[in-house]
Amino acid sequence: MGEIEGSYRVLQTPGTRLGAQFNAGISTLEPGQSLSGNMVSGSKSHGRGLQIRVQGLDDSQEFFDIDVSCTLSIPSPLCIYTALSLQFVTHLEVSCLIVWLEPTKPIMKQVRRPANTLFRLSVKFFPPDPGQLQEEYTRYLFSLQMKRDLMEGRLICTENTGALLASHLVQSEIGDYDDIADRDFLRMNKLLPYQEKVQERIMELHRRHLGQTPAESDFQILEIARKLEMYGVRFHPAADREGTKINLAVAHMGLQVFQGHTKINTFNWSKIRKLSFKRKRFLIKLHPEVHGPHQDTLEFMMASRDECKIFWKICVEYHSFFRLFDQPQPKSKAILFTRGSSFRYRYKICNLSSTDSVVDSPQLSPFNSKGPLCLSPSFQMSTLSLPGQTPSPLQSPILSEVGSNARLEEEEEGRRKRFPTDKAYFIAKEILTTERTYLKDLEVITVWFRSAVIKDNAMPEGLMTLLFSNIDPIYEFHRGFLKELDQRLALWEGRSNAHVKGDYQRIGDVMLRNMCALKEFTSYLQKHDEVLTELEKATKRLKKLETVYKEFELQKVCYLPLNTFLLKPIQRLMHYKLILERLCKHYSPAHRDHDDCKEALKEVAEIATQLQSSLIRLENFQKLTELQRDLIGIENLTAPGRVSAMERRVGGEFIREGCLFKLTKKGLQQRMFFLFSDMLLYTSKGVTATNQFKVHGQLPLYGMIIEESENEWSVPHCFTIYSAQRTIVVAASSKVEMGKWIEDLNMAIDLAKKSQEKSSIFLDAELGDHSNRSSDEVSLEQESEDDMNSSRTSLEKQTHHRANTTMHVCWHRNTSVSMSDHSLAVENQLSGYLLRKFKNSNGWQKLWVVFTNFCLFFYKTHQDDFPLASLPLLGYTVSTPEESDSIHKEYVFKLQFKSHVYFFRAESEYTFERWMEVIKSAASTTGRMSLLIPKGGPMEINGN
């Protein structure tokens, strides 16, 4: 985001507070013009002088002498940068409007009486993540804007959030907590409209910020503010066609419509074809595919033509600033006639024309649009698919060929030569990259889910306290840990300009310090069992919470089942342990980093051992709740009687799920099987968009017998399951798959036999019609049309489900996954940048890739909130390229499933080996995908 490093450096200088070098950021000066020579008083200006009064972001006021013909894009004592600008109030007949100064137009032509006007420096463009601004001083200015918005009531939030923001502002201004100093400061400074009401809360929160620097306080303020719905929102009153009063606003992603303070609609830039205004009417013309060809123009009425034009100009500027890169050359003025507005922004938008004025939004590809701050690619991707459409796990991820050029490859080659090559560096970098993903995963709960339940007041206060009091401290700790890791890797790579001397090509000291600190959170982690259980109970008991929970799981940010994210803190301990083991193995005992790494490993291993049994229990419970939501016809997978038995490893432990073909009167029919430590379920996939599975049979394991029977039925990879209620014949997709099923079934049957417990609580009365059959009779199942219709009705009442869960991938790829596979996948989570290439494409595309839950998730950058696409790996093979692939690069691996082929390129031998390792843990073994059914179609078998 370096392109919007705008700041106003005459009104306020960094001073000793920041202790950083002056950096001019991106200036509005023309090429070749100097900044330093023009930051002087107005006495050096030529021509007529003019004195104007400017209020800074800290509310101080200063006078400046400028030339009357001054514009903000030429050298002057008033240097304004792109992210911030000056605004003033203009008095009209019907109202007073806030107007922004245009950077290329003389001030005298914009303001009638400049000497009598108060100009106010303000943030004009609000990036989606201001915390990513590189300049500390710029972040400081943005935090001052948040302070102003908070006080003026524009940054609307709860009292608790307001108090938290105020506490960081106090820390920024006066440093660490002191009771007397805090009270004096809050008495003299107004930070909140309701400050007296929450003053004690502000001081309590301030006490927690001990040791936090002003720069860190600024960052915290921006992090909190950016997640509020009213961040950067500036209302422009209007009315819709029915006369209903609404407010229009513009943001980096497009236009927003509010009713009161509630956002009721958003129109992304990619959906807008044209913006225009005609007198008091503001018009938004959408692409036909958004609302259909007969409803493509939205009309809003504003109070006056001036208000309409002002809002239109702001929309033009926002679109230009966040979407465009190349600045078109200004058109020559018409000699006789002109039509439409002559307004141009410095990053100009195209094709201005119409009765009053129109802006055509270029039909930019979401991936090819460039600009000083382009839209987040993850946000852009959301406009490419229609609601309700879910791709099959068999489909390739839809990503464009961005970056497929020689320049990218040159940059990557240069980077490889410039950065360290030591294996320890790449192991340390793996800690950093996976920590980034881990922190984003925590935000799914601490930020996004919290916002959802608070918005609808859906969660009881007791559960809110239990959930967030446990995960918030962990989240805050890891934010600091990530910052330490980032700084250390920056020093290791030599890309930091810090004035600190020393040997920083090590990571053990950082790991030891933080692994010791993690011990303090053991009590929090031990409560995650209770948190997961209570959350599940509450969703069953409270309809509103259940609705919010299900709707939240459908959001793109929740890219895994929601309760999966609650397991991440304990799983992360296992990751630290494995990575530190690799470091200790790499280092010789004499290495300066060895002892710290060994001690750090000892610390984290101690915590991991304490929580190992809890993790096994939680992973099993999470899997049961996930299956419960995806299965129709069974309601007690997580019943207390089954869950309590998990500690004895019987009665409720998930073992394997996968696809088998069941012999019926229609021949071999695809079924999804689920093996638990007390029963075997088999299901069929629903016929509607919900993607749920309907249970057709439940077989208790006690007394069950498994027998191979290929010769008897002349079906490859076939075996028979004899249970007390019925006998069924099933076939696997390969010999390997059959072996896995038979091994797990026999193991589970032995456990059930040893327990001497017959579980009868799961026999569904609806499925009791088969109970009179003899044990040696083969069940040739045939579903009636009534059954299918009834299941369809119940399915349609459900919400749409994610299609990349292991259940659905197993179904599409005729394979299976065991709980041990899940545990292995958890240990092998990985994140980092990879270059990706399609089989028939020429260039490479750089993507941030996350491996988790048997899937690769693709992001444009590590800062994106949700993935662009996912690639389930079950069934894929991973190998190195062959000669015929014509890949002449190092560290490339090949992924293939049938005709789907991808090539991925890592940055080093270590990262290449790690990606190969984790993908092999998720992809199928050789032979798993062998064909089951002959080309002639399924075999018809007539049963009695």
Side-chain angles (χ1 to χ4, degrees):
M1 285 188 194
E3 291 85 350
I4 67 164
E5 296 297 340
S7 53
Y8 177 56
R9 299 186 181 275
V10 175
L11 300 186
Q12 271 179 317
T13 55
T16 57
R17 174 186 183 273
L18 300 174
Q21 290 182 327
F22 179 87
N23 188 315
I26 299 299
S27 173
T28 58
L29 301 180
E30 296 298 322
Q33 292 177 327
S34 170
L35 174 66
S36 58
N38 293 285
M39 296 178 66
V40 294
S41 66
S43 59
K44 291 187 179 182
S45 62
H46 301 285
R48 293 174 297 165
L50 176 68
Q51 190 176 68
I52 65 170
R53 184 167 50 115
V54 178
Q55 182 182 38
L57 280 164
D58 62 352
D59 292 334
S60 64
Q61 295 186 15
E62 292 190 38
F63 288 89
F64 294 88
D65 296 323
I66 65 171
D67 193 283
V68 293
S69 60
C70 171
T71 69
L72 299 183
S73 61
I74 64 171
S76 77
L78 204 61
C79 293
I80 305 299
Y81 295 76
T82 57
L84 287 83
S85 191
L86 293 181
Q87 55 182 202
F88 62 94
V89 175
T90 181
H91 298 274
L92 305 176
E93 293 181 5
V94 292
S95 62
C96 296
L97 293 178
I98 295 176
V99 181
W100 291 97
L101 278 177
E102 293 181 27
T104 57
K105 192 174 179 181
I107 292 177
M108 288 296 293
K109 291 189 177 182
Q110 302 182 65
V111 188
R112 291 179 182 176
R113 298 181 181 87
N116 298 330
T117 300
L118 174 64
F119 296 88
R120 196 158 85 148
L121 181 68
S122 297
V123 172
K124 188 172 188 179
F125 303 108
F126 291 84
D129 189 355
Q132 296 298 323
L133 293 167
Q134 294 174 6
E135 275 294 309
E136 184 180 323
Y137 184 54
T138 310
R139 294 196 298 272
Y140 171 53
L141 294 177
F142 268 76
S143 70
L144 288 178
Q145 181 68 62
M146 297 303 102
K147 176 183 176 182
R148 180 191 285 176
D149 287 357
L150 198 62
M151 181 55 217
E152 294 179 354
R154 282 198 296 263
L155 191 63
I156 296 172
C157 57
T158 63
E159 290 184 357
N160 274 339
T161 302
L164 180 59
L165 284 165
S167 70
H168 285 297
L169 287 166
V170 175
Q171 177 73 18
S172 174
E173 294 293 336
I174 68 173
D176 290 342
Y177 173 83
D178 178 87
D179 188 80
I180 297 174
D182 274 34
R183 294 186 188 279
D184 287 345
F185 179 82
L186 291 172
R187 185 177 65 253
M188 299 295 294
N189 296 272
K190 195 77 168 175
L191 303 177
L192 297 168
Y194 44 85
Q195 186 165 304
E196 292 77 10
K197 184 179 178 181
V198 296
Q199 179 166 316
E200 295 302 320
R201 179 62 175 158
I202 294 172
M203 295 172 65
E204 177 191 341
L205 291 167
H206 182 208
R207 192 195 303 266
R208 302 179 186 178
H209 306 328
L210 185 65
Q212 187 170 284
T213 66
E216 289 170 337
S217 297
D218 294 340
F219 180 80
Q220 296 292 339
I221 291 164
L222 298 180
E223 275 292 288
I224 297 167
R226 76 178 178 91
K227 294 164 186 172
L228 299 174
E229 189 167 64
M230 299 303 292
Y231 161 71
V233 172
R234 298 293 182 263
F235 282 158
H236 296 262
D240 60 18
R241 286 182 176 178
E242 286 73 38
T244 304
K245 290 184 178 180
I246 51 96
N247 288 304
L248 299 177
V250 62
H252 70 279
M253 82 286 285
L255 270 63
Q256 301 173 329
V257 183
F258 288 80
Q259 195 160 33
H261 290 100
T262 303
K263 184 162 61 178
I264 60 175
N265 213 337
T266 299
F267 300 102
N268 303 340
W269 294 125
S270 56
K271 295 180 181 179
I272 298 173
R273 186 158 65 94
K274 183 180 291 184
L275 292 176
S276 62
F277 71 94
K278 187 173 183 179
R279 299 183 181 88
K280 299 181 182 180
R281 290 184 297 139
F282 183 80
L283 306 171
I284 305 173
K285 193 163 188 177
L286 303 171
H287 288 293
E289 61 269 20
V290 179
H291 283 288
H294 305 294
Q295 207 176 9
D296 65 341
T297 302
L298 303 174
E299 182 179 311
F300 300 94
M301 187 69 70
M302 307 189 86
S304 67
R305 179 187 181 278
D306 287 323
E307 289 187 44
C308 213
K309 182 176 181 179
I310 287 170
F311 181 60
W312 171 82
K313 287 170 69 173
I314 292 173
C315 292
V316 172
E317 292 172 327
Y318 252 85
H319 182 280
S320 303
F321 190 81
F322 286 102
R323 294 280 286 200
L324 298 185
F325 179 72
D326 296 322
Q327 181 178 352
Q329 295 299 317
K331 295 179 181 179
S332 57
K333 290 186 178 181
I335 298 175
L336 296 176
F337 302 103
T338 181
R339 185 175 182 178
S341 172
S342 61
F343 171 71
R344 297 292 188 276
Y345 185 57
R346 61 172 316 208
Y347 294 105
K348 187 174 63 173
I349 206 163
C350 314
N351 301 332
L352 296 169
S353 63
S354 187
T355 308
D356 266 300
S357 200
V358 174
V359 52
D360 283 327
S361 172
Q363 298 185 26
L364 299 175
S365 160
F367 297 101
N368 292 329
S369 59
K370 301 177 181 179
L373 183 62
C374 287
L375 286 179
S376 164
S378 57
F379 176 84
Q380 296 163 354
M381 192 65 182
S382 66
T383 65
L384 298 183
S385 57
L386 297 175
Q389 287 184 338
T390 303
S392 161
L394 295 176
Q395 292 179 352
S396 307
I398 306 171
L399 294 172
S400 73
E401 290 295 300
V402 176
S404 55
N405 51 55
R407 182 181 175 184
L408 173 62
E409 298 200 19
E410 287 174 7
E411 288 175 356
E412 288 301 313
E413 289 298 336
R415 187 185 179 285
R416 291 167 197 267
K417 295 174 183 177
R418 189 169 65 250
F419 281 9
T421 56
D422 180 21
K423 182 178 178 180
Y425 161 76
F426 291 108
I427 298 175
K429 190 171 182 181
E430 182 181 335
I431 301 174
L432 171 66
T433 56
T434 52
E435 189 74 11
R436 283 173 174 164
T437 296
Y438 170 57
L439 203 65
K440 282 287 186 183
D441 286 345
L442 289 183
E443 285 184 359
V444 174
I445 300 291
T446 60
V447 177
W448 300 96
F449 185 58
R450 188 204 306 264
S451 176
V453 294
I454 289 176
K455 182 180 179 182
D456 293 325
N457 193 24
M459 187 177 286
E461 187 175 345
L463 182 57
M464 284 278 290
T465 302
L466 175 65
L467 172 57
F468 295 112
S469 66
N470 271 279
I471 202 164
D472 283 349
I474 296 170
Y475 173 63
E476 289 302 322
F477 166 77
H478 284 282
R479 285 183 57 160
F481 182 28
L482 176 61
K483 188 173 182 180
E484 273 196 78
L485 290 171
D486 207 2
Q487 290 172 345
R488 175 56 56 86
L489 266 293
L491 289 167
W492 199 331
E493 295 169 354
R495 58 183 168 90
S496 172
N497 60 358
H499 304 291
V500 184
K501 295 182 179 179
D503 185 359
Y504 287 96
Q505 293 187 347
R506 57 196 174 97
I507 199 69
D509 58 326
V510 175
M511 294 303 294
L512 177 58
R513 184 165 57 251
N514 284 279
M515 294 307 101
C516 289
L518 260 179
K519 278 189 170 181
E520 300 177 15
F521 298 95
T522 306
S523 59
Y524 293 104
L525 296 170
Q526 288 171 336
K527 284 188 178 181
H528 275 62
D529 199 337
E530 180 186 358
V531 171
L532 202 61
T533 305
E534 291 301 316
L535 181 60
E536 181 64 20
K537 287 180 182 177
T539 54
K540 289 182 177 179
R541 187 176 73 252
L542 304 170
K543 189 66 179 175
K544 183 187 285 188
L545 178 58
E546 181 187 25
T547 302
V548 170
Y549 192 109
K550 288 181 177 179
E551 288 178 351
F552 182 76
E553 279 201 318
L554 297 178
Q555 294 183 24
K556 289 184 174 66
V557 73
C558 189
Y559 68 102
L560 300 171
L562 176 59
N563 54 16
T564 303
F565 295 101
L566 289 170
L567 306 185
K568 296 290 183 180
I570 303 181
Q571 291 172 345
R572 186 61 177 152
L573 292 174
M574 310 304 166
H575 301 158
Y576 293 143
K577 180 174 176 288
L578 291 169
I579 295 174
L580 283 166
E581 285 174 349
R582 282 199 292 275
L583 269 174
C584 290
K585 187 177 179 181
H586 168 68
Y587 286 138
S588 67
H591 194 281
R592 64 186 182 279
D593 207 21
H594 179 270
D595 289 346
D596 281 345
C597 287
K598 190 174 180 180
E599 283 301 309
L601 174 59
K602 181 181 176 182
E603 295 290 338
V604 75
E606 184 180 329
I607 312 171
T609 302
Q610 293 178 36
L611 297 168
Q612 181 67 45
S613 59
S614 179
L615 177 60
I616 294 171
R617 189 167 57 252
L618 286 170
E619 287 177 343
N620 186 66
F621 184 75
Q622 185 278 323
K623 186 62 183 177
L624 292 178
T625 55
E626 179 189 327
L627 293 176
Q628 183 71 78
R629 290 186 174 90
D630 266 347
L631 296 178
I632 296 174
I634 185 165
E635 301 296 334
N636 45 15
L637 283 179
T638 56
R642 302 188 78 237
V643 176
S644 62
M646 285 192 287
E647 297 177 4
R648 302 192 302 274
R649 295 188 60 79
V650 292
E653 185 177 354
F654 168 75
I655 298 175
R656 180 174 291 277
E657 64 182 326
C659 182
L660 292 171
F661 287 81
K662 183 177 178 294
L663 196 59
T664 72
K665 289 181 179 179
K666 295 180 179 179
L668 290 171
Q669 298 290 318
Q670 189 177 5
R671 295 288 179 265
M672 191 70 186
F673 280 74
F674 302 91
L675 175 61
F676 303 92
S677 55
D678 60 344
M679 66 173 171
L680 177 68
L681 294 182
Y682 58 93
T683 67
S684 64
K685 192 171 185 291
V687 293
T688 67
T690 63
N691 286 325
Q692 287 175 295
F693 289 79
K694 181 187 176 185
V695 175
H696 286 287
Q698 304 178 43
L699 308 178
L701 296 187
Y702 187 81
M704 182 180 285
I705 299 173
I706 308 299
E707 182 183 274
E708 289 190 45
S709 50
E710 289 189 39
N711 296 334
E712 181 181 352
W713 296 98
S714 300
V715 176
H717 322 310
C718 176
F719 58 98
T720 304
I721 301 173
Y722 299 93
S723 75
Q725 281 74 36
R726 75 198 75 168
T727 299
I728 61 173
V729 177
V730 295
S733 58
S734 70
K735 191 168 185 177
V736 172
E737 278 292 296
M738 181 181 73
K740 290 179 178 180
W741 274 108
I742 291 177
E743 181 182 355
D744 283 352
L745 278 164
N746 284 327
M747 179 270 294
I749 291 168
D750 287 343
L751 283 174
K753 185 177 181 181
K754 289 175 183 176
S755 72
Q756 296 295 311
E757 292 178 4
K758 291 187 178 182
S759 178
S760 60
I761 60 173
F762 304 103
L763 296 181
D764 194 340
E766 294 180 6
L767 299 172
D769 56 327
H770 298 286
S771 59
N772 293 327
R773 295 184 178 180
S774 61
S775 60
D776 60 348
E777 180 185 353
V778 176
S779 168
L780 298 178
E781 178 188 344
Q782 182 171 8
E783 296 134 0
S784 68
E785 240 176 83
D786 291 339
D787 288 336
M788 297 304 290
N789 289 336
S790 63
S791 68
R792 185 180 299 117
T793 303
S794 61
L795 283 168
E796 287 170 351
K797 295 177 182 177
Q798 306 295 324
T799 54
H800 188 74
H801 279 59
R802 193 182 291 104
N804 62 6
T805 59
T806 53
M807 180 188 302
H808 298 97
V809 179
C810 286
W811 175 267
H812 282 281
R813 297 184 182 167
N814 295 333
T815 188
S816 68
V817 172
S818 70
M819 194 61 197
S820 60
D821 294 330
H822 277 281
S823 300
L824 184 62
V826 164
E827 291 179 359
N828 282 297
Q829 295 188 17
L830 193 59
S831 308
Y833 281 104
L834 289 173
L835 298 179
R836 191 215 56 189
K837 178 184 179 298
F838 291 119
K839 182 179 180 181
N840 298 317
S841 64
N842 294 321
W844 297 83
Q845 178 184 6
K846 189 174 183 180
L847 296 167
W848 176 258
V849 184
V850 173
F851 168 78
T852 186
N853 287 45
F854 306 100
C855 255
L856 293 180
F857 293 92
F858 300 100
Y859 303 74
K860 200 71 178 115
T861 73
H862 70 266
Q863 297 167 347
D864 294 348
D865 289 322
F866 49 81
L868 301 167
S870 64
L871 179 63
L873 294 178
L874 293 174
Y876 268 81
T877 57
V878 58
S879 62
T880 54
E882 300 170 359
E883 189 69 30
S884 59
D885 293 320
S886 299
I887 302 292
H888 306 295
K889 299 289 183 181
E890 288 183 308
Y891 316 134
V892 175
F893 59 90
K894 176 182 179 181
L895 273 176
Q896 183 167 4
F897 173 74
K898 296 183 178 178
S899 61
H900 301 274
V901 178
Y902 306 96
F903 299 99
F904 292 92
R905 185 178 168 202
E907 64 177 338
S908 69
E909 183 179 2
Y910 171 79
T911 50
F912 166 76
E913 290 173 352
R914 284 290 293 135
W915 280 107
M916 288 281 285
E917 179 184 353
V918 301
I919 290 173
K920 281 180 180 178
S921 74
S924 63
T925 55
T926 304
R928 177 178 282 191
M929 298 311 301
S930 62
L931 295 178
L932 168 69
I933 302 172
K935 291 183 179 179
M939 185 183 303
E940 293 291 334
I941 299 179
N942 296 320
N944 296 323

